[in-house]
Amino acid sequence: MDAGRLQAVRGEIVHFLADPAEHGSAALEHFADGLLILRGGHVAECGPAAELLAKLPLEAAVADRRGMLIMPGFIDTHVHYPQTDIIASHGEELLDWLTRYTFPAERRFEDPAHAAEVAGFFCDELLKNGTTTAMAFATVHAASVDALFEAARLRRMRLITGKVLMDRNCPEFLRDDAGLGIDTTRCLIERWHGRDRLLYAITPRFAPTSSPAQMQAAGGLYAEYPGVYLQSHVAENRAEVAWVAQLYPAARSYLDVYEHYRQLGPRSLYAHCIWVDDTDRARMAATGTAVSFCPTSNLFLGSGLFDYAAAQAHGLRVGLGTDVGAGTSFSMLATLNEAYKVLRLNGQDLRPEQAFYLATLGGARSLYLDECIGNFRTGREADFVVLDPAATALLARRHATAATLAERLFLLMMLGDDRCVAETWVLGQLAWRRDTASR
């Protein structure tokens, strides 16, 4: 696309300038009839259509999406692309789930052709659900990382992933040599990090499956490459927490293991964080470490209920994760539905404005990408989703009775799914459209 050429999309626009929990209604910007002006894959301007249409040159193309809701692309902060083919597998708690389903599925990714096929399907499924950025786990195989980065690169997506580090308490067919795994990780960082919109995450699966030597080396890599990410899991399940206590008896807590090995800090993100205490939360906040809240997975595996109020009280950066395949949907709308229910069970509330903040700008902040994505400020990368508030007969019927924006957002998060995603745009170009999709 010509870097100087203007184009625009017209419709109802909603995005966030800040956290609604801190700034109230001033955090949200809403244009009932808005115009999003794009130049060279970035946002040139966003505002009322009546004002901005006059600024456009006559030759500028305007995509008319009136009747639709335009929002920044959704951000999935924790998902396992190799588990795509085991989503909705019956039963089991976390540790049994890994043994029965996850490890056998991940073994297949030693085949580059299999990895490439799944990676392509996975990225298409993200786009179909309006997700334009994801932080994803690969497997221990370098080929799995290459495949996912290449699939995302071809689709111009912003994506973070990395080779899983795992050298104990796992099947032999997935076991790393501690030194070789680190060397391979270094090579992958050099190959992919910062290429196009791709970013690398050092990825110890979780503390029980990495030896102290591998944990030490992973922390060293995190320090050696200041711009890279680190992702792992912490305190998802009570049996897992007890296991970590046996493996690391000197640690104050599960999180303390990661801190001991220098794995907390900006651009480090931990999924779940259910069975943590206030000391853990304070350490995460102080170090700039982020949390991925994965409600569908936590409910499906019976892991527990995330305490969002406590995370907010400590000022934690929180994003949302689908956690496919223990998570049961690629849809961020379905994930918001379950997040609302988790918080209700915890005696808390999730206002619709806060929910969509978490799915967009909140996710960007948790990944330290809010200067690039997450809203429609001038200069941001033009990733966005076009949502159809009348995608189903029930939604259309309820939408007709909704009097406020908050009510309409709540309907989308409670009744919506991938059928609501009319279009997904990546870097100012249409990447997926419902009425032309093959599936």
Side-chain angles (χ1 to χ4, degrees):
M1 183 175 64
D2 180 359
R5 176 175 168 267
L6 288 178
Q7 59 178 336
V9 183
R10 184 177 185 179
E12 184 175 10
I13 296 175
V14 173
H15 72 132
F16 296 89
L17 305 177
D19 187 342
E22 299 174 8
H23 298 275
S25 60
L28 180 149
E29 199 164 55
H30 174 222
F31 304 105
D33 182 13
L35 196 71
L36 184 62
I37 302 178
L38 315 173
R39 187 197 301 270
H42 291 72
V43 175
E45 201 164 352
C46 178
E51 294 180 16
L52 296 186
L53 282 169
K55 296 184 178 183
L56 284 178
L58 292 176
E59 66 273 14
V62 178
D64 191 343
R65 300 296 182 265
R66 280 176 287 183
M68 303 286 185
L69 183 65
I70 301 168
M71 300 187 75
F74 297 138
I75 298 169
D76 190 340
T77 60
H78 182 69
V79 59
H80 293 258
Y81 105 87
Q83 295 182 28
T84 299
D85 290 334
I86 60 170
I87 191 171
S89 296
H90 179 264
E92 311 299 345
E93 289 191 358
L94 171 65
L95 301 180
D96 292 329
W97 168 272
L98 291 173
T99 301
R100 182 172 178 182
Y101 298 118
T102 301
F103 293 151
E106 292 190 0
R107 183 178 194 173
R108 299 182 65 196
F109 284 77
E110 62 187 358
D111 176 3
H114 177 73
E117 190 278 326
V118 177
F121 179 90
F122 172 83
C123 287
D124 287 342
E125 199 68 13
L126 291 178
L127 293 172
K128 175 182 176 181
N129 283 278
T131 297
T132 53
T133 293
M135 189 177 202
F137 269 57
T139 69
V140 298
H141 311 100
S144 73
V145 179
D146 290 334
L148 183 55
F149 272 139
E150 182 61 18
R153 188 189 68 80
L154 290 172
R155 292 160 178 80
R156 307 169 76 236
M157 298 171 70
R158 185 168 280 286
L159 186 126
I160 308 167
T161 193
K163 169 192 149 41
V164 168
L165 296 169
M166 188 162 60
D167 69 343
R168 67 168 178 171
N169 295 322
C170 64
E172 186 64 36
F173 56 76
L174 291 178
R175 187 168 300 157
D176 254 337
D177 171 89
L180 181 59
I182 295 297
D183 291 343
T184 302
T185 295
R186 182 177 281 106
C187 291
L188 289 165
I189 291 171
E190 298 287 349
R191 184 183 308 156
W192 290 107
H193 184 68
R195 181 178 172 186
D196 296 331
R197 305 178 76 199
L198 309 173
L199 299 162
Y200 197 89
I202 298 161
T203 308
R205 180 176 220 111
F206 66 148
T209 51
S210 285
S211 65
Q214 190 174 68
M215 291 289 279
Q216 183 72 35
L221 271 184
Y222 181 48
E224 181 182 345
Y225 293 93
V228 303
Y229 288 73
L230 187 144
Q231 62 178 341
S232 194
H233 304 82
V234 69
E236 178 178 359
N237 169 285
R238 281 178 287 192
E240 170 206 14
V241 173
W243 188 21
V244 171
Q246 293 175 352
L247 293 171
Y248 292 95
R252 189 202 69 81
S253 68
Y254 190 164
L255 184 78
D256 189 48
V257 175
Y258 295 107
E259 181 157 33
H260 175 77
Y261 291 110
R262 300 180 298 160
Q263 294 181 19
L264 303 187
R267 293 177 307 282
S268 68
L269 181 142
Y270 289 85
H272 309 300
C273 302
I274 297 172
W275 304 102
V276 295
D277 59 19
D278 283 345
T279 300
D280 291 327
R281 295 184 184 100
R283 291 307 304 147
M284 296 184 85
T287 56
T289 302
V291 175
S292 182
F293 172 23
C294 305
T296 74
S297 168
N298 298 155
L299 292 174
F300 181 72
L301 296 179
S303 300
L305 306 175
F306 179 68
D307 192 340
Y308 183 47
Q312 286 181 300
H314 284 83
L316 286 176
R317 294 172 182 255
V318 178
L320 286 166
T322 61
D323 197 22
V324 167
T328 52
S329 176
F330 281 88
S331 170
M332 195 56 67
L333 298 177
T335 301
L336 292 177
N337 177 315
E338 298 301 311
Y340 174 81
K341 296 170 187 174
V342 166
L343 267 58
R344 293 303 299 169
L345 287 169
N346 248 349
Q348 301 170 22
D349 189 23
L350 181 62
R351 302 292 303 168
E353 300 91 340
Q354 192 68 28
F356 281 95
Y357 164 79
L358 287 174
T360 57
L361 184 59
R365 286 193 71 246
S366 73
L367 298 176
Y368 288 81
L369 290 173
D370 46 310
E371 293 299 314
C372 301
I373 57 173
N375 63 20
F376 295 138
R377 287 187 183 272
T378 299
R380 297 297 189 269
E381 295 163 356
D383 293 348
F384 58 94
V385 59
V386 180
L387 297 172
D388 182 358
T392 69
L394 180 59
L395 260 172
R397 187 178 182 89
R398 282 291 287 116
H399 184 78
T401 66
T404 67
L405 174 64
E407 287 180 80
R408 291 188 289 117
L409 291 176
F410 190 66
L411 289 174
L412 276 171
M413 68 186 258
M414 299 311 296
L415 299 177
D417 53 32
D418 62 300
R419 291 171 294 179
C420 294
V421 178
E423 295 176 349
T424 303
W425 292 58
V426 174
L427 278 185
Q429 294 186 13
L430 184 64
W432 188 89
R433 175 179 285 160
R434 182 181 55 198
D435 59 7
T436 59
S438 60
R439 59 180 183 276

